[in-house]
Amino acid sequence: MTTYGHFPRTRPRRLRSTPAMRRMVAETRLHPADLVLPAFVREGLSEPVPISAMPGVVQHTRDSLRKAAVEAAGAGVSGIMLFGVPEEAKKDATGSAGTDPDGILQVALRDVRAEVGDDLLVMSDLCLDEFTDHGHCGVPDAGGRVDNDATLGRYAEMARAQAEAGAHVVGPSGMMDGQIGVVREALDGIGREDVAVLAYTAKYASAFYGPFREAVGSSLTGDRKTYQQDAANSRESLREVALDLAEGADIVMVKPAGPYLDIVARVADAVDVPVAAYQISGEYAMIEAAAQKGWIDRDQAVLESLTGIKRAGAGIILTYWATEVARTLGRG
């Protein structure tokens, strides 16, 4: 029997001994190119408006949005996802401001595309909730329930309007059955085969969306549980993935990210297209709030949360910290 002079002989701690050692053997690496910055632009503003539930995030003016886009591109961020916030009086039952060529989202798309060209992917949220007076992601039927197929027609119009305004990527986020196929067909029908579709494939009905409601001035009453996924379900996400890929999705996304890392991992294992995850407003707000209380180290918590999302399998991460983190990574 062989004996050893020292026990244990195998010491994993050797590979944790110094910062340089830990960097060398790191299995997961964040990079600025992994990141996409979600940004809100509100119609009629003369200066940016802070979002109280999301410290450090604002509703942009057109000018400040252009500046934010240039900063993101300079930091090495891959994309900016735009959300438009119209004047309250322009909201209606069908979200007509969302397809108006002169609506705030289309104007902002043209602004940002003119500012950054192809240096930054200009992405656009394709959904009606910001533009409807009821706050739902679709067109209601006579009973007030969201009409899936009537909504698809509106999504096709939005896809065409956003592509014409300059979007490199559209992000259908309403969780309507068949939305990806309709959007792809609408884009191809106007000769915009070059516009990519980032599918909000597994979007869960989550309590963590709370701060986002303030950010977009949501008019929602009730909930979206009849079309967003139930937090209890996992296999259902893989069915949604299969449907979206069959309909032409170029990228699939899980939203929220942090509470659904198991879903991110399952989706990443199942597909051969890029996988995105959205670190949403509530995830951001919790870290910022705890840091303000002095309960956690903010910078370390931010990087740890993003590393966890990347480790789970997301190659693309939408996060409100995108530009800040990209600068930090660039310095590293």
Side-chain angles (χ1 to χ4, degrees):
M1 178 177 178
T2 301
T3 60
Y4 301 106
H6 299 282
F7 178 85
R9 184 178 185 183
T10 301
R11 295 181 181 270
R13 287 183 58 188
R14 294 187 189 110
L15 300 183
R16 305 171 196 151
S17 58
T18 68
M21 178 66 81
R22 293 191 292 273
R23 285 196 303 272
M24 184 178 73
V25 302
E27 299 173 24
T28 303
R29 299 181 192 275
L30 282 174
H31 188 278
D34 300 331
L35 307 177
V36 171
L37 176 68
F40 309 101
V41 56
R42 179 174 160 189
E43 190 170 18
L45 291 184
S46 58
E47 60 184 28
V49 174
I51 299 167
S52 63
M54 300 177 69
V57 180
V58 301
Q59 292 176 325
H60 283 287
T61 67
R62 290 173 62 186
D63 286 341
S64 69
L65 178 65
R66 284 192 287 261
K67 180 180 178 183
V70 169
E71 291 174 348
V77 170
S78 281
I80 185 167
M81 174 66 78
L82 302 186
F83 296 85
V85 184
E87 294 175 352
E88 198 67 26
K90 294 184 178 179
K91 294 181 180 182
D92 58 27
T94 61
S96 58
T99 50
D100 181 353
D102 295 320
I104 184 58
L105 184 52
Q106 278 66 252
V107 168
L109 284 166
R110 290 195 293 269
D111 285 345
V112 174
R113 188 66 190 273
E115 194 72 31
V116 300
D118 293 334
D119 292 341
L120 187 71
L121 286 172
V122 181
M123 304 178 173
S124 187
D125 179 60
L126 198 163
C127 196
L128 293 171
D129 58 324
E130 298 102 310
F131 305 101
T132 56
D133 54 13
H134 46 75
H136 278 286
C137 298
V139 179
D141 61 18
R145 184 182 175 91
V146 173
D147 185 324
N148 191 93
D149 295 2
T151 299
L152 294 180
R154 295 290 293 129
Y155 286 1
E157 294 177 52
M158 291 190 82
R160 290 188 287 265
Q162 292 176 4
E164 294 292 352
H168 293 101
V169 180
V170 296
S173 62
M175 290 298 288
M176 295 297 122
D177 295 339
Q179 64 183 14
I180 303 306
V182 165
V183 166
R184 183 72 269 163
E185 184 176 355
L187 293 169
D188 292 352
I190 59 169
R192 296 307 306 270
E193 295 88 352
D194 58 317
V195 176
V197 178
L198 187 164
Y200 285 60
T201 292
K203 183 177 180 181
Y204 283 84
S206 173
F208 293 97
Y209 295 131
F212 181 89
R213 307 279 190 254
E214 177 189 349
V216 297
S218 175
S219 302
L220 180 67
T221 55
D223 58 52
R224 297 176 175 141
K225 293 181 179 179
T226 65
Y227 45 100
Q228 294 178 352
Q229 284 184 248
D230 191 321
N233 292 351
S234 175
R235 289 191 303 272
E236 182 182 42
S237 294
L238 299 183
R239 186 182 188 199
E240 292 281 4
V241 165
L243 291 167
D244 282 358
L245 291 177
E247 292 173 23
D250 298 292
I251 304 168
V252 295
M253 184 159 72
V254 176
K255 180 180 181 182
Y260 296 91
L261 293 181
D262 60 320
I263 307 302
V264 174
R266 291 193 70 176
V267 170
D269 286 344
V271 305
D272 58 3
V273 299
V275 175
Y278 194 147
Q279 186 182 53
I280 66 169
S281 60
E283 298 174 71
Y284 175 95
M286 287 192 301
I287 289 177
E288 290 287 350
Q292 286 185 0
K293 289 284 190 179
W295 293 339
I296 60 173
D297 182 303
R298 175 189 180 275
D299 294 349
Q300 289 190 32
V302 169
L303 288 173
E304 185 176 338
S305 68
L306 292 170
T307 300
I309 297 167
K310 179 78 179 284
R311 188 182 63 244
I316 302 164
I317 304 172
L318 281 72
T319 175
Y320 299 98
W321 289 302
T323 301
E324 175 189 341
V325 169
R327 287 172 174 159
T328 299
L329 296 172
R331 288 195 297 270

